[in-house]
Amino acid sequence: MLDTSHEASTDAGFEDHAAAGISDDAMYARLLTAILEHRLQPGTKLAEENLAKVFGVSRTRVRPVLVRLAQERLVELRPRRSPTVARPTQAEAHEVFEARSLIEPRLVQACTTRASDVEIAQLRQCIHDEHAALARGDHATAVRLSGQFHMHIADCARQQTLRDILADLVSRTSLILMLYGSARSRAKPGERSPHSCGTACQCHDRLVDAIALRDAATAQLLMQEHLLDLQSSLVFPVAVAHTDLETVLAGAQ
């Protein structure tokens, strides 16, 4: 089992079996999915020896997979310490949304002019699945589907370079929402999310309507507003100055 700093066991992150002859891509995919679905939370330790046991491979096979995830800012590698699922800082969170606000209005503009009717139907299906996940209280899946929705728009835009950049930003956004999303957006599996958690879905609905109408200006504006709403929903911990017991209890009766 993975060594984790959280109460949840490794079983929440992986199925309890080793896949003989598993490929590097398959190991990467299983780790990536567990991270993006929040089954492996920020800060979770990913000891190489434990991952090797889970996957039934040698440690030398595991290391390149972790390096690949580290290059995507999803895993942190530090000398003489176990790798961990990344824990984005407040500054990094703002940078990610700033980058998305620069890229995605351009992508949705291109999508509006280039998306086929079939692709628009696929976008609507993604939203349908996202609504269904929220309705059953499966917020982790809803967040993953939300990311897929944005990636579908990028695919429709036919802008491969921007699409590749966005893929990295969307993955990092999932971790940011896990850490800093409001209490309403951090609903646990099985808990019904309040109606405000469906705001993103509603914005996605309006985005697809604008795309279907080939209204690029409205689609760009909606994308900018959507990303601003997501960023505004983040709640960052307030730094508390260190105070020792003598200071706290001085003068106490």
Side-chain angles (χ1 to χ4, degrees):
M1 298 182 70
L2 292 176
D3 181 13
T4 175
S5 58
H6 300 279
E7 293 181 359
S9 69
T10 305
D11 292 340
F14 298 100
E15 296 177 6
D16 189 19
H17 68 273
I22 189 171
S23 68
D24 289 359
D25 284 344
M27 287 189 284
Y28 165 83
R30 285 177 62 183
L31 277 167
L32 177 65
T33 300
I35 291 170
L36 296 186
E37 291 186 348
H38 301 163
R39 288 180 285 122
L40 290 176
Q41 299 185 16
T44 301
K45 294 180 181 179
L46 303 172
E48 291 180 18
E49 59 271 25
N50 294 335
L51 285 174
K53 292 178 182 178
V54 169
F55 291 128
V57 299
S58 66
R59 290 181 60 180
T60 56
R61 290 277 311 282
V62 168
R63 183 68 177 181
V65 175
L66 292 173
V67 170
R68 181 177 174 185
L69 289 165
Q71 290 171 341
E72 297 175 3
R73 309 292 184 87
L74 297 178
V75 166
E76 294 179 355
L77 300 178
R78 294 168 292 182
R80 297 182 296 279
R81 299 184 66 180
S82 293
T84 60
V85 176
R87 184 181 291 273
T89 65
Q90 180 174 342
E92 289 170 342
H94 286 308
E95 289 172 5
V96 165
F97 277 100
E98 182 176 0
R100 290 187 64 171
S101 70
L102 293 173
I103 292 172
E104 293 199 71
R106 175 68 186 97
L107 286 171
V108 78
Q109 178 192 41
C111 173
T112 301
T113 61
R114 298 172 182 173
S116 67
D117 290 342
V118 171
E119 288 172 323
I120 292 173
Q122 291 172 340
L123 287 170
R124 292 197 187 280
Q125 182 61 49
C126 189
I127 297 171
H128 173 79
D129 294 342
E130 187 180 355
H131 276 295
L134 283 175
R136 64 177 182 267
D138 188 354
H139 180 69
T141 296
V143 169
R144 176 175 57 80
L145 290 169
S146 176
Q148 286 183 3
F149 172 80
H150 286 261
M151 294 311 304
H152 283 321
I153 288 177
D155 290 335
C156 295
R158 318 282 197 271
Q159 296 274 355
Q160 188 62 44
T161 299
L162 291 180
R163 190 256 181 224
D164 291 344
I165 295 172
L166 181 62
D168 171 76
L169 296 172
V170 166
S171 295
R172 294 169 68 185
T173 298
S174 180
L175 292 180
I176 290 166
L177 292 176
M178 182 65 201
L179 278 173
Y180 305 121
S182 66
R184 291 171 299 184
S185 68
R186 288 198 300 262
K188 298 178 182 178
E191 293 180 349
R192 183 170 296 278
S193 301
H195 70 279
S196 58
C197 287
T199 300
C201 277
Q202 294 167 8
C203 187
H204 289 173
D205 284 324
R206 293 194 295 272
L207 269 169
V208 176
D209 289 341
I211 292 169
L213 292 172
R214 309 300 176 181
D215 187 347
T218 297
Q220 285 183 291
L221 180 61
L222 287 170
M223 181 64 79
Q224 290 169 337
E225 291 177 347
H226 174 42
L227 294 173
L228 181 59
D229 285 344
L230 280 177
Q231 184 175 5
S232 299
S233 74
L234 301 180
V235 178
F236 299 100
V238 178
V240 179
H242 173 72
T243 307
D244 60 24
L245 285 175
E246 183 177 356
T247 301
V248 170
L249 300 177
Q253 299 297 322

